């Protein structure tokens, strides 16, 4: 099984910064793209940022100019640098790997378990 694991969540004061990390593990040949989503209590999961293997970045309007996504393809790892955090950024952040190819099969997408980010006023 391919496993996706996030880390770096925690409690931070408004205006502060956090860096989230996500790695995919398994007999992985390639991953087309990796990204971050977040989910508020009682709400649907929403897109935050994504990056392709070629380094093309995409961001939700709510985080543009504050969040930066980066990747280390050789390590199947992606990072999310979150600056100027606001209380409304508080959510469970999930990592997603798209188009995960292994020596056995292709996985359209694989999700991590989530990491909690809490921004205090």
């Amino acid at each position: 099984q391919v496993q996706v694991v996030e880390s770096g969540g925690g409690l931070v004061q408004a205006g502060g910064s956090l860096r989230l990390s996500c790695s995919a593990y398994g007999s992985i040949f390639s991953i087309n793209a990796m990204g971050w989503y977040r989910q508020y209590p009682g709400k649907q999961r929403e897109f935050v940022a994504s990056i392709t293997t070629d380094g093309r970045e995409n961001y939700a309007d709510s985080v543009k100019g504050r969040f930066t996504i980066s990747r280390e393809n050789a390590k199947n790892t992606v990072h999310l640098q979150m600056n100027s955090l606001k209380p409304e950024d508080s959510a469970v952040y999930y990592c997603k790997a798209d188009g995960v190819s292994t020596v056995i099969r292709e996985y359209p997408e694989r999700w991590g378990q989530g990491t909690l980010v809490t921004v205090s006023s």
Side-chain angles (χ1 to χ4, degrees):
Q1 273 277 19
V2 172
Q3 301 293 323
V4 177
V5 181
E6 306 101 329
S7 63
L11 175 65
V12 66
Q13 189 176 1
S17 299
L18 282 175
R19 185 177 71 253
L20 306 183
S21 298
C22 170
S23 294
Y25 300 94
S27 300
I28 298 172
F29 177 75
S30 64
I31 301 175
N32 288 342
M34 298 183 74
W36 291 93
Y37 293 70
R38 65 188 180 188
Q39 189 166 18
Y40 306 101
K43 302 293 185 178
Q44 292 186 340
R45 197 168 298 181
E46 67 179 32
F47 170 79
V48 175
S50 65
I51 188 166
T52 66
T53 303
D54 293 335
R56 298 173 62 184
E57 304 168 25
N58 196 15
Y59 298 92
D61 289 340
S62 59
V63 305
K64 286 181 179 178
R66 299 188 299 120
F67 292 9
T68 302
I69 191 169
S70 61
R71 84 277 185 262
E72 300 176 82
N73 290 336
K75 297 181 179 180
N76 295 319
T77 295
V78 66
H79 306 281
L80 185 68
Q81 179 66 45
M82 304 186 295
N83 298 326
S84 301
L85 283 164
K86 306 173 181 179
E88 51 263 43
D89 293 319
S90 298
V92 177
Y93 283 72
Y94 295 89
C95 178
K96 180 165 71 78
D98 293 327
V100 183
S101 296
T102 71
V103 295
I104 303 299
R105 66 178 65 87
E106 169 92 5
Y107 297 91
E109 62 180 34
R110 297 294 290 177
W111 290 91
Q113 80 290 340
T115 185
L116 178 64
V117 172
T118 303
V119 184
S120 62
S121 300

